[in-house]
Amino acid sequence: MDTNTETSNNTLQSISKNRPYAVVLYGATSFVGKITAHYLTEFLSNAKDANGANVTWAIAGRDEAKLNELQSELASKVDIIIANSNDSASLDEMTKQTQVIISTVGPYLKYGEPLIKSCSTNGTDYVDLTGEAIFIKDMMDKYQDAAKQSGARIVNSCGFDSIPSDLGVYFTQIKAEEKFGDACDVIHMRVKAAKGGLSGGTIASMATIFEEVGKDKSRRKQVANPYLLNDDTDAPNVRQDNVSKPEYDSEHKRWLAPFVMASINTRIVHRSNQLLGYEYGRGFKYDEAMWMKDGVQGQLSSYALSAGLFGFATAMMITPSRELLSKHVLPKSGSGPSKEEQKNGYFDIRLFGQTTKKDTINTKVTGDKDPGYGSTSRMLAQAALCLAQDVSKETVGGGFWTPASAMGDQLLTRLEEHAGLSFEVVDH
């Protein structure tokens, strides 16, 4: 690092540290926002060390009455900031007050850009929950240069999309290097088990993507590109496997079905590989799928899930059927799993890696709450705190990052210690 760059980063770090808040939770009254606010209150109230002690934070959004109601529910009082995505001045006023913004305001394609712009302009770090790869691509194209110049670290997809996949691959590669002195050039991720529900917000994000793809053919080409988020001039062009229909996994004696989040997770993992200097190799291959049972029951389940996903995607790309489903069938915005369902939820994913020398390694990532909300709120909060406290701007400068490339080992530690996640090497 040259002296001018180091001086600039020190200045940016100093400006950021002098702001009144370490973290502001924007969209705090959304379904996942409320869960995150309660988790942050509990975690920071009980923190005794640098991972959470003496952190000043605030909740933010456009509806003062709802924010006041949320404030009254929290175990300890936090400040309120009024900001609206339609009011750039209010967003700037908010982002200038904090080191890190947590955004739960989706669908991001509809509502996310003004906040990304504000953070990129004002040198404010940012984390969100988006599973919308085309949104990330759009924002990178528009604001990468501004973020680099201001020192803003923009880290998308810090929930179940895509931390278990991104950090799971990162962990698997570390263990492969330790054991074999070589990275895996192929990793298969399989969802072994997951229990949890979908909220109206998640459905709204999916609907927005399908709507965009349905009306713009160029978007279909983007969505199909496994290297959509690789923005280097010499991105790889390796044909990637994609489990898009029922398949039989003879090695593990299970049927496979498509995993709805693979389209974002795989793109994040490939971007991490780029940002880590292609430590996984330029020929690295990665795919995701859901495990079903063996036999006729597993085959039927795989075909049923595949058909359901195809039918849902097709219906959501057509305006009349999308409006009909949204109005009468799908969960409404602000709704989601009950507290009991969140508490009793979990996920268990497996990663099967193989090196160029055919050495194999198997790992698993588990979470002890429902993946979309109970676990996601914890991952999101710890990612924000990790950026605020553990990763200096000297180490990781401004620009668009992924969870693994920006926070790596520090985030792994936080997730295991404070978010109920576990990363481990297993026999099978």
Side-chain angles (χ1 to χ4, degrees):
M1 180 182 295
D2 64 55
T3 305
N4 290 335
T5 303
E6 187 170 354
T7 301
S8 174
N9 286 334
N10 285 335
T11 302
L12 293 169
Q13 189 80 14
S14 176
I15 292 170
S16 182
K17 289 287 186 183
N18 288 331
R19 295 178 175 185
Y21 303 110
V23 173
V24 168
L25 173 59
Y26 180 65
T29 60
S30 68
F31 190 83
V32 73
K34 289 179 181 178
I35 302 170
T36 307
H38 282 280
Y39 169 72
L40 270 170
T41 303
E42 180 182 358
F43 173 72
L44 295 175
S45 297
N46 296 327
K48 306 296 184 187
D49 56 26
N51 282 334
N54 302 316
V55 170
T56 305
W57 67 290
I59 55 176
R62 65 182 180 181
D63 192 321
E64 187 172 4
K66 288 183 178 180
L67 288 167
N68 283 327
E69 183 180 350
L70 174 60
Q71 184 191 53
S72 69
E73 296 171 1
L74 299 176
S76 58
K77 188 174 181 180
V78 297
D79 291 345
I80 288 173
I81 298 172
I82 306 301
N84 192 325
S85 58
N86 294 328
D87 181 355
S88 59
S90 71
L91 292 180
D92 285 341
E93 186 176 349
M94 174 179 68
T95 60
K96 288 176 180 178
Q97 295 183 67
T98 185
Q99 292 174 241
V100 186
I101 287 283
I102 299 174
S103 174
T104 67
V105 180
Y108 292 89
L109 270 169
K110 286 187 176 179
Y111 306 117
E113 180 174 353
L115 184 55
I116 293 274
K117 180 180 180 180
S118 181
C119 287
S120 299
T121 300
N122 295 313
T124 305
D125 296 341
Y126 166 101
V127 297
D128 70 18
L129 296 170
T130 188
E132 303 162 41
I134 53 179
F135 165 74
I136 300 173
K137 171 63 174 172
D138 288 350
M139 296 303 96
M140 285 170 52
D141 289 347
K142 288 186 177 183
Y143 302 112
Q144 176 79 281
D145 291 341
K148 286 183 176 180
Q149 185 173 350
S150 72
R153 284 92 60 89
I154 310 297
V155 189
N156 306 103
S157 306
C158 289
F160 191 60
D161 298 326
S162 297
I163 277 180
S165 300
D166 194 30
L167 270 293
V169 169
Y170 177 83
F171 174 82
T172 304
Q173 296 288 24
I174 288 173
K175 295 304 177 182
E177 287 280 2
E178 289 177 357
K179 189 172 183 179
F180 308 120
D182 194 13
C184 298
D185 66 335
V186 178
I187 293 180
H188 305 290
M189 186 280 254
R190 302 293 180 250
V191 181
K192 182 181 180 183
K195 182 181 179 183
L198 291 177
S199 80
T202 298
I203 296 296
S205 283
M206 294 170 68
T208 301
I209 295 171
F210 290 130
E211 179 182 358
E212 189 81 5
V213 169
K215 68 185 182 184
D216 186 344
K217 291 183 178 180
S218 67
R219 289 300 209 183
R220 298 178 201 177
K221 187 175 180 181
Q222 282 188 316
V223 167
N225 179 9
Y227 298 106
L228 177 65
L229 302 181
N230 289 56
D231 58 350
D232 53 332
T233 55
D234 188 27
N237 192 28
V238 177
R239 183 177 179 83
Q240 297 289 325
D241 295 329
N242 179 29
V243 181
S244 58
K245 60 183 186 300
E247 294 181 16
Y248 187 69
D249 180 353
S250 56
E251 181 180 354
H252 299 103
K253 294 182 171 55
R254 287 176 178 266
W255 280 90
L256 301 178
F259 180 45
V260 69
M261 294 176 177
S263 61
I264 178 65
N265 294 339
T266 54
R267 276 66 175 169
I268 293 290
V269 167
H270 285 302
R271 177 157 178 80
S272 285
N273 189 25
Q274 175 203 325
L275 294 173
L276 292 168
Y278 290 104
E279 288 181 359
Y280 309 164
R282 294 187 60 83
F284 176 65
K285 296 182 70 173
Y286 177 69
D287 65 272
E288 299 189 344
M290 293 190 70
W291 260 359
M292 300 293 165
K293 293 180 179 180
D294 196 8
V296 175
Q297 183 180 353
Q299 184 178 16
L300 290 173
S301 296
S302 181
Y303 273 86
L305 179 58
S306 300
L309 288 173
F310 177 79
F312 175 72
T314 302
M316 295 304 280
M317 283 191 279
I318 303 168
T319 301
S321 55
R322 181 175 63 250
E323 291 177 349
L324 183 68
L325 286 173
S326 298
K327 187 174 182 180
H328 298 291
V329 179
L330 301 174
K332 299 295 184 287
S333 182
S335 65
S338 68
K339 289 184 178 179
E340 195 66 21
E341 288 171 327
Q342 294 167 36
K343 182 180 178 181
N344 294 330
Y346 58 86
F347 65 86
D348 180 341
I349 70 174
R350 304 300 170 102
L351 296 104
F352 302 96
Q354 179 176 282
T355 70
T356 53
K357 299 172 185 175
K358 307 302 180 186
D359 293 313
T360 60
I361 186 168
N362 305 326
T363 63
K364 74 173 181 178
V365 182
T366 59
D368 64 357
K369 296 287 184 292
D370 83 293
Y373 300 92
S375 278
T376 278
S377 62
R378 297 179 174 201
M379 290 185 251
L380 181 64
Q382 291 300 334
L385 291 169
C386 190
L387 274 183
Q389 297 185 295
D390 304 340
V391 184
S392 73
K393 290 183 186 285
E394 292 176 59
T395 306
V396 176
F400 281 71
W401 296 88
T402 59
S405 61
M407 295 173 273
D409 296 340
Q410 295 98 324
L411 186 55
L412 274 174
T413 299
R414 277 186 172 270
L415 294 173
E416 291 201 306
E417 292 182 353
H418 306 301
L421 268 68
S422 175
F423 298 79
E424 57 184 298
V425 177
V426 292
D427 294 332
H428 59 278

